[in-house]
Amino acid sequence: MTELYENETRPERALLVSVDTGEYDAQASMQELWELTASAGAQPIAELTQKREKPDAATYVGPGRLAEIKDFSKEQEIDLLIVDGELSPIQLRNLEEQTGVRVVDRTMLILDIFARRASTSAGKLQVELAQLQYMLPRLTGKGTALSRLGGGIGTRGPGESQLETDRRHIRRRIESLRGKLRDLERQRAQLRRRRKKDAVITVAIVGYTNAGKSTLMNLLTDAGVLVKDQVFATLDPTSRALRLPNGVTVMLIDTVGLVRRLPHQLVEAFHSTLEEAAQADIILNVCDASSDEAQLHLDVTRRLLGELGCTGAVIPVLNKCDLAPELGDIPLIGGAVRISAKTGEGIDQLLHAVEENLPRRVQRVKLLLPFDKAGIAAEVRKNGTVLSEEYCEDGLLLEALADELLYGRVRDYVQP
């Protein structure tokens, strides 16, 4: 996909365009588009919104607004039009021809940001798949733009046009990427099975982008995840061990952020990554408490988790409470934990909430194991958390954290 800015001396000047049909909050969506544009490296200059029952089939906006866009772009030296919607190939071509300005729609913008942020091989494969799936139906009229994909002599059939060649290469590449991602998905599934077999408890951090998930991850585990005040600052998931105050160790997973109307190509491409979070034992649904749409963000995330078959306990987490210090400014959401990942406020309550939702209840026990019961000691070390151990005259004295299953096996050796 084309990079958003070609001139290295200054960022591209972008005009944001929207058609308000009443299907969603156009103003909130446009505000998010400003953040996405800045995150992509362009400079949003102004926005133009038109109220219509539906977008124009040929040019997205009406003739009058189209003329206004053309004049404004010329006067303000606009380099890029960014449309807050998904354009058809015809709309994209007509807008570019009639305004003389390069056009990017919302999906292309998000895909571009994902492409910039992907750092692991899995992330790059997922982004490339989403880009090619989006590009395939939009090749009409591109001419030889994708001729670099061809291998030259021997790659074309008799009488085959360049467009057909490009489509054939893209379809072949899509199938190749899907095969590689299926292999990665099998590896992830095997890893999840290993975790379940080893009784590893997983806690996933999910939520809208720029809600402070990476800051929370760093605070809890010193993970060293990139933290920036921009959308999609981190894309690839990170896993770290977290020891809770009660001594239980869990696997904490940070995931990719969400936005409104996330392109379905990305949802499909990142399905295995999102599924990793959805199948966690506990899910921290993090949102920005200072946002007027905190409840909406929590609902959107919860709905997506439901679509992915989420079965774990979901804990709503209101982050950035330091930006809304007055209680009246913080939304009242049942069962939510209020924190500030920046200042550390409320972290103790969050960890307590995680402990309360652990899939297996744990308790502190003192055990006296005879010397001939070394196998039980090994089981306690493997399936519990040993706090202390001391050899005495009658055997091995252990103090440990044990879940209900382990407690049932060592009950006969529990000391008062």
Side-chain angles (χ1 to χ4, degrees), residues 226-403:
L226 173 67
V227 175
K228 281 190 176 182
D229 185 20
Q230 59 180 208
V231 294
F232 302 129
T234 53
L235 176 58
D236 299 299
T238 305
S239 301
R240 293 291 186 275
L242 169 64
R243 188 179 180 88
L244 298 173
N246 65 4
V248 175
T249 299
V250 299
M251 182 68 69
L252 191 64
I253 304 172
D254 185 19
T255 61
V256 62
L258 306 175
V259 294
R260 289 177 185 81
R261 293 145 53 213
L262 189 67
H264 66 87
Q265 295 93 347
L266 277 175
V267 174
E268 179 183 346
F270 281 80
H271 186 274
S272 61
T273 301
L274 295 171
E275 194 177 57
E276 183 88 3
Q279 295 191 5
D281 297 298
I282 300 173
I283 296 171
L284 305 182
N285 187 358
V286 181
C287 77
D288 182 353
S290 64
S291 170
D292 295 334
E293 297 187 314
Q295 181 68 68
L296 174 63
H297 292 178
L298 289 173
D299 291 342
V300 170
T301 306
R302 188 182 296 112
R303 185 164 59 250
L304 178 59
L305 291 172
E307 293 172 359
L308 292 170
C310 167
T311 58
V314 179
I315 303 174
V317 181
L318 299 176
N319 189 26
K320 303 187 182 182
C321 286
D322 54 308
L323 300 180
E326 298 297 329
L327 187 60
D329 296 335
I330 302 176
L332 298 176
I333 298 172
V337 181
R338 297 178 174 87
I339 70 165
S340 169
K342 183 178 180 181
T343 66
E345 175 188 353
I347 297 301
D348 290 342
Q349 291 87 337
L350 176 61
L351 295 177
H352 177 70
V354 173
E355 291 177 346
E356 288 295 309
N357 285 277
L358 289 173
R360 298 180 299 278
R361 291 288 181 182
V362 296
Q363 56 183 307
R364 194 175 187 130
V365 295
K366 185 180 290 186
L367 306 172
L368 180 59
L369 302 176
F371 289 113
D372 60 347
K373 299 296 182 181
I376 296 178
E379 184 177 359
V380 173
R381 295 188 187 99
K382 179 180 179 181
N383 299 319
T385 302
V386 176
L387 303 176
S388 67
E389 55 182 290
E390 177 185 354
Y391 287 96
C392 59
E393 184 177 347
D394 298 325
L396 177 61
L397 188 63
L398 281 176
E399 190 170 5
L401 297 172
D403 61 22

Side-chain angles (χ1 to χ4, degrees), residues 67-276:
E68 185 179 347
I69 291 173
K70 182 176 181 180
D71 293 340
F72 184 89
S73 299
K74 187 175 181 179
E75 293 172 1
Q76 298 297 323
E77 298 182 347
I78 296 299
D79 306 303
L80 182 67
L81 293 183
I82 300 182
V83 176
D84 191 27
E86 187 168 304
L87 297 175
S88 68
I90 293 175
Q91 289 171 330
L92 179 63
R93 184 177 66 245
N94 289 342
L95 273 176
E96 289 187 339
E97 288 179 352
Q98 296 191 36
T99 63
V101 180
R102 191 160 61 88
V103 178
V104 170
D105 66 12
R106 183 184 180 89
T107 299
M108 295 166 65
L109 179 66
I110 293 175
L111 289 175
D112 185 276
I113 296 172
F114 268 61
R116 290 171 180 270
R117 303 285 156 74
S119 59
T120 66
S121 58
K124 291 176 181 178
L125 288 175
Q126 289 166 328
V127 170
E128 185 182 356
L129 175 60
Q131 287 178 318
L132 292 178
Q133 288 175 325
Y134 184 77
M135 183 189 300
L136 185 59
R138 291 167 171 79
L139 288 182
T140 305
K142 293 294 183 182
T144 59
L146 295 176
S147 60
R148 64 184 180 277
L149 292 176
I153 297 174
T155 63
R156 305 180 191 179
E160 186 175 28
S161 70
Q162 181 62 50
L163 179 60
E164 291 168 339
T165 304
D166 292 338
R167 284 176 173 162
R168 183 162 55 86
H169 279 291
I170 288 181
R171 290 193 184 100
R172 186 182 300 160
R173 180 60 178 166
I174 285 176
E175 287 306 310
S176 174
L177 291 171
R178 283 176 173 165
K180 292 178 180 178
L181 288 175
R182 281 193 294 268
D183 291 339
L184 288 173
E185 194 166 347
R186 282 193 289 269
Q187 293 174 15
R188 284 199 173 110
Q190 185 176 6
L191 182 59
R192 286 195 295 267
R193 287 194 295 269
R194 174 71 63 84
R195 287 173 179 170
K196 288 188 179 298
K197 181 180 179 181
D198 294 341
V200 176
I201 300 173
T202 54
V203 179
I205 305 176
V206 301
Y208 258 59
T209 184
N210 208 26
K213 300 186 300 300
S214 296
T215 303
L216 178 60
M217 182 80 170
N218 288 339
L219 177 66
L220 293 175
T221 66
D222 295 324
V225 178
L226 173 67
V227 175
K228 281 190 176 182
D229 185 20
Q230 59 180 208
V231 294
F232 302 129
T234 53
L235 176 58
D236 299 299
T238 305
S239 301
R240 293 291 186 275
L242 169 64
R243 188 179 180 88
L244 298 173
N246 65 4
V248 175
T249 299
V250 299
M251 182 68 69
L252 191 64
I253 304 172
D254 185 19
T255 61
V256 62
L258 306 175
V259 294
R260 289 177 185 81
R261 293 145 53 213
L262 189 67
H264 66 87
Q265 295 93 347
L266 277 175
V267 174
E268 179 183 346
F270 281 80
H271 186 274
S272 61
T273 301
L274 295 171
E275 194 177 57
E276 183 88 3

